[in-house]
Amino acid sequence: MKVLIINCGSSSLKYQLIDSETEAVLAKGLCERIGIDGRLVYQKAGLDKEITEAPMPTHTEAIQMVLDALKNEKTGAIASLEEIDAIGHRVVHGGEKFASSAKVDDAMIAALEECSDLAPLHNPANLIGIRVCQELMPNVPMVGVFDTAFHQTMPEEAYLYPLPIEYYEQFGIRKYGFHGTSHSFVSKETAKFLGLDPENSKIIVCHLGNGASVSAVKNGKCVDTSMGLTPLAGLAMGTRCGDIDPSIVDFLGKKLDLDAAAVTQILNKKSGVFGLSRGLSSDFRDLAAAAESGNHDAAVALDVFAYRVKTTIGAYAAAMDGVDAIAFTAGIGENSAEVRTSILDGLTFLGIKIDEEKNKLRGENMKISTEDSAVSVCVIPTNEELAICRDTVAILG
């Protein structure tokens, strides 16, 4: 089965065409600057990237360009659109309505519209992608795969906020969590890689990128995660502040004469390690280089990031009454030995021992803890597109 994976943003679109039997990526790329001018990046497996500048007023033109590239006579991955057997859509927020991936139908679309106010920057774009594919390929079955679904197994004590319960009942205000597709994929891969019983294991997944989150996975199910009602909560991130005293919003609003929306924009776009480094960078590579050169602000920003991850790992070990494995994934988690070391320093009380030579390596699944470490520590590359493909095939049978 050939599965087209679509991940729509407000002005961008990522895609992959995957052969589900071999799990090989046949082609991949992205569309950028949709609604501005338009840029298509396309790469067939084994060939160089092709870049096409062309108008993309809406997602309809963008997806049409993707389909045209996929069936291009010279570099296309398929001869015709009839070879596309299914489409898997990444959907950011499924609210409480979806605890797993599901086939796209009118009821799903209505439900996604209802919870769009919980993810106003993402869900409308995801819905646009679904509708455009329905228009251009009306006979191809589609599946929605939700960032929030994996976290729907959290117990009430983990997902409820200590606010008047009416706000949860009326408005759905609770912890939802995000990066769920990645957390699900990596937790399963970790168990398989280490030979753990998925139904009798305690795994902490650290998805560390510009957006970052940690999850506690007990017996194959998520029991807690660091992001909340929105992706702003939890760890310090590239430009997001993570958990702070909520009174800061009112305090800053009064001091800077800003409304709540403007302050929230600061918390989302100008905070995190970017804000702590005085706007130097949100890229951890830049910060590491600056810290190495003696930049105190960059060093502190990295320390704050590592401290937040470390204390969250400790909290989740307590929540699960122990931990068998810790998995690092995503851009920073997979590639920064220094960040991993900084996080793991101070967790020796858990019996963690790191093989520093292995920790310096990069590549596929790796165990970076020593054989006598009480907790196995791994680097497990995430693959959200493959996870979406697998869910799509499983749902459609």
Side-chain angles (χ1 to χ4, degrees), residues 94-156:
E96 292 186 312
K97 298 180 182 295
F98 299 97
S100 62
S101 303
K103 189 173 181 178
V104 173
D105 56 20
D106 290 342
M108 174 189 283
I109 291 174
L112 295 182
E113 289 173 338
E114 287 178 17
C115 65
S116 281
D117 59 342
L118 295 173
L121 298 178
H122 297 91
N123 269 34
N126 301 153
L127 281 165
I128 288 171
I130 289 172
R131 290 194 173 101
V132 171
C133 287
Q134 285 180 321
E135 175 188 342
L136 298 178
M137 292 177 284
N139 298 319
V140 179
M142 297 188 290
V143 169
V145 180
F146 304 92
D147 277 7
T148 51
F150 182 62
H151 305 305
Q152 283 298 301
T153 52
M154 286 188 290
E156 286 182 313

Side-chain angles (χ1 to χ4, degrees), residues 210 232 237-241 266-275 282:
N210 197 268
L232 181 58
M237 300 175 232
T239 62
R240 299 177 206 154
C241 63
I266 293 172
L267 303 184
N268 268 298
K269 300 294 185 181
K270 298 182 179 180
S271 300
V273 295
F274 176 81
S282 61

Side-chain angles (χ1 to χ4, degrees), residues 30-75:
L30 72 155
C31 297
E32 301 174 291
R33 299 174 63 81
I34 299 171
I36 304 172
D37 42 30
R39 181 173 186 262
L40 170 71
V41 179
Y42 171 80
Q43 184 175 24
K44 181 182 178 181
L47 299 180
D48 293 334
K49 290 181 181 178
E50 298 176 10
I51 298 176
T52 304
E53 308 282 350
M56 296 180 190
T58 70
H59 286 74
T60 300
E61 289 82 9
I63 293 178
Q64 184 64 64
M65 284 188 67
V66 169
L67 298 178
D68 289 344
L70 287 172
K71 60 185 179 68
N72 180 280
E73 288 186 4
K74 292 183 178 180
T75 59

Side-chain angles (χ1 to χ4, degrees), residues 215-236:
S215 66
V217 183
K218 186 175 183 179
N219 303 333
K221 295 181 179 180
C222 178
V223 295
D224 206 349
T225 191
S226 58
M227 285 181 167
L229 174 73
T230 73
L232 181 58
L235 308 176

Side-chain angles (χ1 to χ4, degrees), residues 83-100:
E83 292 184 42
I84 297 177
D85 301 296
I87 303 172
H89 290 271
R90 180 211 179 198
V91 182
V92 167
H93 217 307
E96 292 186 312
K97 298 180 182 295
F98 299 97
S100 62

Side-chain angles (χ1 to χ4, degrees), residues 134-394:
Q134 285 180 321
E135 175 188 342
L136 298 178
M137 292 177 284
N139 298 319
V140 179
M142 297 188 290
V143 169
V145 180
F146 304 92
D147 277 7
T148 51
F150 182 62
H151 305 305
Q152 283 298 301
T153 52
M154 286 188 290
E156 286 182 313
E157 63 266 27
Y159 72 71
L160 284 176
Y161 290 123
L163 297 169
I165 194 66
E166 293 84 2
Y167 298 157
Y168 165 63
E169 295 168 339
Q170 295 173 18
F171 309 121
I173 296 177
R174 52 158 286 180
K175 177 187 285 192
Y176 289 99
F178 298 88
H179 295 143
T181 305
S182 176
H183 285 289
S184 175
F185 178 85
V186 172
S187 62
K188 291 180 176 67
E189 287 293 306
T190 301
K192 183 167 67 174
F193 177 62
L194 295 175
L196 299 174
D197 179 358
E199 297 183 3
N200 184 26
S201 60
K202 300 170 183 178
I203 299 171
I204 294 174
V205 177
C206 302
H207 177 107
L208 307 181
N210 197 268
S213 61
V214 178
S215 66
V217 183
K218 186 175 183 179
N219 303 333
K221 295 181 179 180
C222 178
V223 295
D224 206 349
T225 191
S226 58
M227 285 181 167
L229 174 73
T230 73
L232 181 58
L235 308 176
M237 300 175 232
T239 62
R240 299 177 206 154
C241 63
D243 288 345
I244 60 171
D245 182 340
S247 296
I248 292 172
V249 176
D250 181 61
F251 183 85
L252 277 180
K254 291 175 179 176
K255 290 290 185 181
L256 302 175
D257 192 26
L258 298 173
D259 61 17
V263 175
T264 300
Q265 182 78 353
I266 293 172
L267 303 184
N268 268 298
K269 300 294 185 181
K270 298 182 179 180
S271 300
V273 295
F274 176 81
L276 286 169
S277 67
R278 301 182 194 274
L280 173 65
S281 182
S282 61
D283 190 309
F284 283 69
R285 293 167 295 186
D286 295 338
L287 296 175
E292 185 71 21
S293 300
N295 186 308
H296 177 72
D297 294 322
V300 169
L302 293 172
D303 287 344
V304 169
F305 176 80
Y307 179 80
R308 291 294 185 94
V309 179
K310 180 190 306 184
T311 55
T312 304
I313 290 173
Y316 289 175
M320 296 191 293
D321 192 21
V323 56
D324 299 316
I326 298 171
F328 288 93
T329 195
I332 300 162
E334 293 172 26
N335 297 304
S336 178
E338 294 80 10
V339 169
R340 292 193 296 263
T341 296
S342 184
I343 290 167
L344 294 168
D345 279 351
L347 290 176
T348 54
F349 75 96
L350 291 174
I352 293 174
K353 297 180 182 180
I354 297 301
D355 184 323
E356 294 299 340
E357 292 305 312
K358 289 182 179 178
N359 188 35
K360 294 175 183 177
L361 302 175
R362 293 187 183 185
E364 294 303 309
N365 297 350
M366 298 185 302
K367 183 178 178 181
I368 61 173
S369 54
T370 61
E371 291 305 316
D372 61 342
S373 179
V375 177
S376 296
V377 182
C378 301
V379 176
I380 305 290
T382 191
N383 192 332
E384 292 173 279
E385 288 79 15
L386 179 57
I388 293 171
C389 176
R390 288 175 176 173
D391 273 18
T392 299
V393 172

